């Protein structure tokens, strides 16, 4: 007997409908999950979704256990209604965007616990709904609202306890469960308060971090500005001297060879200045740090040579070993000497300068002096030069004076080379009294 016709075959149209229905179901499920995720991330309480989901899972376990405990009341639907009341804020927020306000959380918890306790059972899990929600409310609401909910929750449990619906059975003995549940509500409230304090401290730390980042960025910009100023002031000063020498060689001496030599030197210094500026501006880049070393105390002699070749008369002397000078202090000494010699060209053209570097085991001291030019006193420098030198010195714990002294204009700077030392303890005060410092 052929029974193949007894089994109805799936027609292509029926398969197509099932596939479309399955696709629509899966698409709707994905949209629902995406909507729930977006709404969780949009909550104003700034808690990780894992914390929120963890609290909901704990509430699911408690309400599920309370429903199972009331199996003897089935088919009465009251336990299921109580369970649904506990989770009422979730569909309201996920589907309709109703924010889980503390008042909504409190109302749903009190309603759910009350419905559960209308059908009393031994060793009841239902009051733990209030414990969990007390923690949730305390984590998002003010202290007054949290304490108020704890008081209302305790009053509800007290009312059901007086009605004989709240008890805890141990080995057949009937013991009152109100104290245990009350302590649970207090613990839940304390946990929520700790979470809220943690969130506040997180906000404060973020603000402090933003302030520190802004201050560090400002300080870095000022440091780079000082570096660029020093490089440009030095390079332009020497370049102008070489150009002046070239012009005079052509105008008065009619010596092209001397003019070419001066121009070649100006070109070399210009290229070197461009390289220094690129390296300094490159500090603003977030890429890998450049490996070119910064100039230090050992480069001061070469710096003096550049000014000499540019036509400035400079007398340079050094005492002591440079091995004890750290890189940061050596760089500061170089930049201060560079700025001081550039100021000689700017404010006292035609005068000679004296540079002296003294290094001992305790301190490093640099003195740059030059005679004051004849005529009116030069205008006091109110630009970045002196301010930059003072800032460099202060950052490294040194001391600097700049002003009229016995030998004319003098810049005197010193740095302690031993940690914990200060300039007043390693250098005599009479060295600083020789200079009348500019305000």
């Amino acid at each position: 007997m052929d029974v193949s016709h007894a089994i109805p075959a799936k027609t292509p149209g029926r398969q197509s409908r099932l596939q479309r229905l399955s696709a629509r179901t899966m698409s709707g499920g994905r949209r629902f999950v995406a909507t729930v995720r977006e709404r969780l991330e949009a909550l104003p309480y700034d808690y990780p979704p894992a914390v929120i989901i963890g609290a909901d899972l704990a509430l699911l376990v408690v309400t599920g256990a309370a429903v199972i405990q009331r199996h003897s009341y089935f088919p009465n639907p009251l336990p299921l209604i109580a369970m649904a009341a506990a989770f009422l804020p979730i569909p309201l927020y996920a589907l309709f965007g109703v924010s889980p306000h503390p008042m909504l959380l409190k109302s749903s918890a009190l309603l759910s616990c009350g419905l559960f306790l209308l059908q009393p059972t031994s060793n009841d899990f239902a009051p733990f709904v209030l414990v969990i929600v007390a923690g949730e409310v305390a984590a998002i609401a003010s202290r007054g609202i949290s304490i108020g909910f704890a008081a209302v929750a305790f009053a509800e449990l007290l009312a059901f306890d007086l009605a004989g619906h709240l008890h805890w059975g141990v080995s057949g003995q009937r013991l009152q469960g109100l104290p245990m549940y009350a302590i649970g509500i207090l613990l839940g409230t304390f946990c929520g308060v700790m979470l809220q304090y943690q969130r506040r401290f997180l906000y404060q730390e973020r603000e402090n971090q933003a302030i520190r980042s802004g201050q560090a960025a400002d300080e870095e910009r000022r440091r780079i500005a000082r570096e660029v100023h020093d490089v440009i002031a030095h390079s332009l000063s020497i370049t102008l001297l070489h150009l002046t020498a070239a012009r005079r060689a052509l105008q008065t001496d009619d010596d092209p060879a001397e003019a070419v030599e001066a121009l070649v030197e100006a070109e070399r210094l210009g290229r070197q200045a461009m390289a220094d500026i690129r390296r300094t501006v490159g500090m603003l880049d977030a890429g890998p740090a450049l490996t070119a070393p910064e100039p230090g105390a050992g480069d001061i002699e070469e710096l003096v040579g550049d000014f000499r070749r540019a036509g400035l008369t400079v007398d340079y002397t050094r005492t002591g070993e440079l091995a004890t000078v750290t890189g940061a202090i050596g760089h500061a000494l170089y930049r201060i000497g560079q700025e001081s010699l550039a100021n000689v060209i700017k404010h006292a053209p035609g005068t000679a300068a004296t540079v002296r570097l003294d290094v001992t085991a305790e301190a490093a001291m640099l003195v740059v002096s030059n005679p004051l030019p004849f005529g009116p006193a030069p205008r006091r420098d109110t630009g970045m030069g002196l301010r930059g030198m003072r800032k460099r010195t202060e950052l490294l714990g040194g001391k600097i004076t700049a002003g009229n002294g016995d030998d004319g204009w003098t810049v005197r700077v010193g740095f302690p080379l031993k940690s914990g030392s200060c300039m007043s303890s390693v250098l005599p005060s009479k060295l600083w009294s020789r200079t009348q410092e500019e305000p």
Side-chain angles (χ1 to χ4, degrees):
M1 179 179 178
D2 188 6
V3 296
S4 60
H5 298 287
I7 302 176
K10 293 183 179 179
T11 62
R14 184 178 179 184
Q15 290 180 351
S16 178
R17 288 194 298 270
L18 289 176
Q19 290 176 354
R20 288 197 298 270
L21 179 61
S22 176
R24 285 196 296 268
T25 303
M26 293 179 62
S27 177
R30 286 193 294 268
R31 286 197 300 270
F32 175 77
V33 172
T35 301
V36 172
R37 182 178 300 172
E38 292 177 359
R39 294 190 182 278
L40 283 177
E41 293 177 352
L43 282 172
Y45 307 120
D46 198 25
Y47 285 111
V51 175
I52 301 174
I53 294 175
D56 292 336
L57 288 177
L59 189 62
L60 178 64
V61 171
V62 169
T63 54
V67 169
I68 294 173
Q69 285 181 320
R70 286 160 176 79
H71 63 87
S72 60
Y73 292 97
F74 289 164
N76 191 315
L78 191 60
L80 297 177
I81 296 175
M83 184 177 184
F87 289 93
L88 182 62
I90 296 179
L92 289 178
Y93 179 72
L95 300 177
F96 305 104
V98 178
S99 180
H101 192 271
M103 187 61 66
L104 179 59
L105 294 175
K106 293 190 294 183
S107 301
S108 62
L110 293 172
L111 177 61
S112 175
C113 183
L115 293 176
F116 273 126
L117 293 180
L118 289 177
Q119 296 176 338
T121 183
S122 180
N123 303 331
D124 201 351
F125 279 87
F128 289 107
V129 173
L130 300 177
V131 174
I132 297 174
V133 176
E136 294 178 349
V137 171
I140 62 176
S142 63
R143 188 180 305 175
I145 295 177
S146 304
I147 295 176
F149 174 71
V152 173
F154 179 77
E156 182 182 43
L157 293 180
L158 178 62
F160 279 100
D161 183 64
L162 295 176
H165 287 214
L166 192 67
H167 48 264
W168 190 268
V170 179
S171 301
Q173 297 179 359
R174 311 297 291 181
L175 299 177
Q176 295 294 326
L178 181 62
M180 182 189 67
Y181 294 130
I183 293 175
I185 292 174
L186 290 177
L187 290 177
T189 302
F190 289 154
C191 290
V193 169
M194 286 190 293
L195 284 175
Q196 185 166 164
Y197 274 115
Q198 185 181 24
R199 185 183 62 170
R200 292 178 180 175
F201 292 150
L202 176 62
Y203 291 159
Q204 184 177 0
E205 180 60 27
R206 288 176 179 174
E207 294 177 359
N208 294 337
Q209 183 64 31
I211 294 173
R212 288 194 295 267
S213 299
Q215 292 175 344
D218 292 340
E219 179 59 31
E220 183 66 10
R221 281 192 291 268
R222 287 191 291 268
R223 186 182 71 83
I224 293 175
R226 291 194 300 269
E227 293 287 332
V228 173
H229 171 271
D230 293 344
V231 170
I232 293 176
H234 162 252
S235 61
L236 288 181
S237 299
I238 299 183
T239 302
L240 288 175
L241 284 178
H242 282 293
L243 293 176
T244 301
R247 177 180 58 80
R248 290 178 178 175
L250 293 175
Q251 287 181 340
T252 60
D253 301 335
D254 195 16
D255 188 355
E258 183 180 352
V260 169
E261 182 181 354
L263 291 176
V264 169
E265 188 67 17
E267 180 183 6
R268 182 187 69 82
L269 292 172
R271 295 182 184 278
Q272 179 182 349
M274 287 298 298
D276 291 341
I277 292 173
R278 289 193 187 99
R279 184 183 68 250
T280 304
V281 176
M283 298 176 185
L284 295 171
D285 190 8
L290 299 178
T291 57
E294 294 285 352
D299 299 309
I300 295 179
E301 185 173 358
E302 182 180 354
L303 173 69
V304 171
D306 289 339
F307 279 94
R308 285 173 176 170
R309 286 188 291 271
L312 179 65
T313 302
V314 185
D315 181 19
Y316 174 66
T317 57
R318 176 176 66 85
T319 60
E321 296 296 330
L322 299 179
T324 58
V325 181
T326 62
I329 293 178
H331 182 63
L333 290 171
Y334 179 91
R335 291 302 186 196
I336 292 173
Q338 183 184 60
E339 176 66 21
S340 300
L341 291 176
N343 285 337
V344 173
I345 298 175
K346 179 180 178 182
H347 298 291
T351 62
T354 301
V355 179
R356 179 178 179 85
L357 176 62
D358 296 317
V359 180
T360 64
E362 292 80 15
M365 185 172 180
L366 177 69
V367 180
V368 181
S369 60
N370 63 277
L372 292 177
F374 294 103
R379 180 179 60 87
R380 291 180 178 179
D381 187 3
T382 58
M384 293 184 59
L386 284 177
R387 289 201 302 269
M389 289 191 289
R390 295 184 195 282
K391 188 64 176 178
R392 290 181 187 277
T393 307
E394 292 171 359
L395 290 176
L396 296 174
K399 184 177 180 180
I400 184 172
T401 59
N404 298 329
D406 298 337
D407 300 327
W409 182 272
T410 302
V411 176
R412 181 178 286 107
V413 59
F415 295 98
L417 298 181
K418 290 185 177 181
S419 59
S421 301
C422 61
M423 292 309 300
S424 59
S425 62
V426 298
L427 290 178
S429 59
K430 62 181 180 180
L431 292 178
W432 304 101
S433 62
R434 297 175 183 174
T435 302
Q436 183 180 0
E437 187 176 359
E438 287 288 300

